[in-house]
Amino acid sequence: MKFQALLTVGLIMVAGAANAQDLPAGYPADYSSLVAKAKAEGSLLIYTNLSQDNVGPVITAFNKAYPDIKVESLEMGPSEAFTRYRAEEGTGVSSADILIANTIVDWTSAVKEGLVQDYQSPEIASLPDWSHPAPGLYTFSTDPMVTIYNKMTVPENLRADTMEGLLTNVTTHPDVFGGKVGTYDGRYAFGGALNYAFVERHGDQAWKWFEEAGPSIKPGGGAGAMIERTLSGELSAAYFVSAPVVWSKMADGLDAIIDWNFPKDGTVVFPRGIGITAKPNHPAAATVFLAFVLSHTGQEAVGDGKLTPYRPGLEAKGALSYSLDEVAKAVGGEKNLIIINYDPKMIDDNAAFTARWGKAFNM
């Protein structure tokens, strides 16, 4: 009996040592007990504006590591994810454990209202400082904005790979671009953030470009609509188009008609936020999922979903997949990336900014 007891204790100690050795560097010693709780919870609910094509590879990779945790992802508009969580939070209805969305205004409000759990992930030391801009708010992916051209209507010498070149061409070549250039509407949240960041980088010069080229540009619609309009020839070009949408369309053989590039004088990058809700029904599972997304393996899976992983030192797989490191390399270094931040000044300046932007674009 004494031998059996000693053997049992020994096996427990060996198992504990093995679990400790399996933990990534920087993880707390009791993380294995958190994983056990997550497995006991058994499920996880995400509200996101990502399609299954985007988030599916991340869930698949997570389930490979944690097969006992079922993940359900509900697709909805970025603002709707927050509105729905607010409505459900105090009603006792099972609501989201994780929110994933690319909306600066909603994330800023959610942090202020305490809708996001203040949690410091053990992965934080491996991430760039800008990627966790507020307590509990992290970055799921980084979506670069690209310029697209219709190869049939725009000669190669006019397919500029800078914003200065594009906007100058719009002004000097009305026969090619007049009234046939698309972009997001800068008076609304997503387009406003893109344009605000661009102006912050280029200052008065950006306003000069906008005021000269704006009357020939037709803002409106999302990335998919801009691609379709460029494909049909209604548009000759479009800028600030979300690269993940472009890449997914290019996989369908559109490269025969559509050309695209990263602007080398400032590729705007939109960080897609992720956070654990303040009152998750599955807190342990949510915590383990967040750490996984931020890990090297999780960020690789983000790339598999045709999104842009940002963890330093990572290379994305596939011909039409890029990591943020690879985007930076393509534009001549990080200095030529314009990563949108969560500066409250952008929200405070919104009325004045959108009024000036609308005037420049005759809207």
Side-chain angles (χ1 to χ4, degrees):
M1 291 293 292
K2 184 180 290 186
F3 174 77
Q4 184 64 41
L6 288 172
L7 179 60
T8 301
V9 170
L11 289 172
I12 292 172
M13 291 176 64
V14 170
N19 285 337
Q21 289 172 359
D22 289 341
L23 292 177
Y27 276 56
D30 63 349
Y31 195 79
S32 55
S33 64
L34 177 68
V35 172
K37 290 177 183 176
K39 291 179 179 179
E41 290 173 354
S43 64
L44 175 70
L45 178 59
I46 300 170
Y47 288 174
T48 180
N49 68 321
L50 289 172
S51 70
Q52 283 301 313
D53 288 343
N54 297 136
V55 75
V58 178
I59 294 173
T60 298
F62 177 75
N63 282 146
K64 186 176 180 181
Y66 303 101
D68 300 319
I69 305 173
K70 178 184 177 182
V71 181
E72 182 181 6
S73 175
L74 298 184
E75 183 181 357
M76 59 192 72
S79 294
E80 183 186 354
F82 294 88
T83 302
R84 181 165 171 174
Y85 177 72
R86 283 188 184 92
E88 294 172 343
E89 180 189 12
T91 65
V93 175
S94 181
S95 191
D97 303 296
I98 292 275
L99 298 174
I100 304 173
N102 54 346
T103 164
I104 302 295
V105 173
D106 290 297
W107 276 117
T108 301
S109 298
V111 170
K112 279 186 179 180
E113 295 172 34
L115 298 182
V116 181
Q117 190 176 117
D118 182 356
Y119 171 70
Q120 181 155 322
S121 170
E123 292 288 345
I124 200 168
S126 301
L127 305 173
D129 290 341
W130 55 259
S131 70
H132 41 93
L137 174 56
Y138 293 87
T139 298
F140 180 88
S141 64
T142 45
D143 298 345
M145 301 295 127
V146 298
T147 302
I148 62 174
Y149 294 96
N150 183 310
K151 293 181 180 180
M152 306 295 112
T153 62
V154 182
E156 190 170 357
N157 66 305
L158 293 183
R159 298 177 211 157
D161 62 357
T162 63
M163 287 297 297
E164 178 180 12
L166 167 67
L167 295 172
T168 298
N169 285 341
V170 170
T171 303
T172 58
H173 295 275
D175 54 320
V176 176
F177 297 106
K180 301 184 73 175
V181 177
T183 190
Y184 287 103
D185 193 326
R187 297 171 300 169
Y188 300 102
F190 188 79
L194 301 174
N195 281 273
Y196 189 91
F198 184 76
V199 170
E200 283 288 285
R201 169 62 62 89
H202 291 287
D204 289 339
Q205 183 61 62
W207 284 119
K208 183 180 178 182
W209 291 331
F210 287 165
E211 287 159 3
E212 290 176 349
S216 295
I217 296 171
K218 302 300 178 187
M226 284 189 270
I227 294 167
E228 292 301 323
R229 292 166 67 200
T230 304
L231 185 65
S232 71
E234 179 185 346
L235 297 178
S236 293
Y239 66 93
F240 291 164
V241 186
S242 182
V245 183
V246 174
W247 296 333
S248 65
K249 298 286 186 182
M250 297 294 277
D252 296 332
L254 299 188
D255 56 337
I257 298 175
I258 299 289
D259 194 8
W260 68 274
N261 62 53
F262 298 117
K264 292 182 178 177
D265 57 350
T267 290
V268 181
V269 177
F270 205 113
R272 189 183 302 271
I274 179 172
I276 302 170
T277 57
K279 298 179 180 179
N281 290 290
H282 309 96
T287 302
V288 171
F289 183 83
L290 176 61
F292 178 82
V293 166
L294 303 178
S295 72
H296 186 91
T297 302
Q299 285 287 293
E300 282 185 328
V302 166
D304 292 340
K306 286 291 185 288
L307 298 175
T308 305
Y310 63 92
R311 187 176 167 111
L314 193 148
E315 292 184 5
K317 304 170 187 175
L320 282 175
S321 293
Y322 290 79
S323 68
L324 193 61
D325 280 358
E326 291 169 316
V327 176
K329 184 178 179 180
V331 298
E334 290 183 17
K335 65 183 184 297
N336 293 324
L337 298 178
I338 305 174
I339 301 175
I340 297 174
N341 59 36
Y342 289 78
D343 186 349
K345 186 171 178 285
M346 179 170 62
I347 298 173
D348 296 339
D349 291 348
N350 180 65
F353 180 85
T354 55
R356 185 173 181 181
W357 189 95
K359 183 178 180 181
F361 287 80
N362 286 347
M363 300 185 77

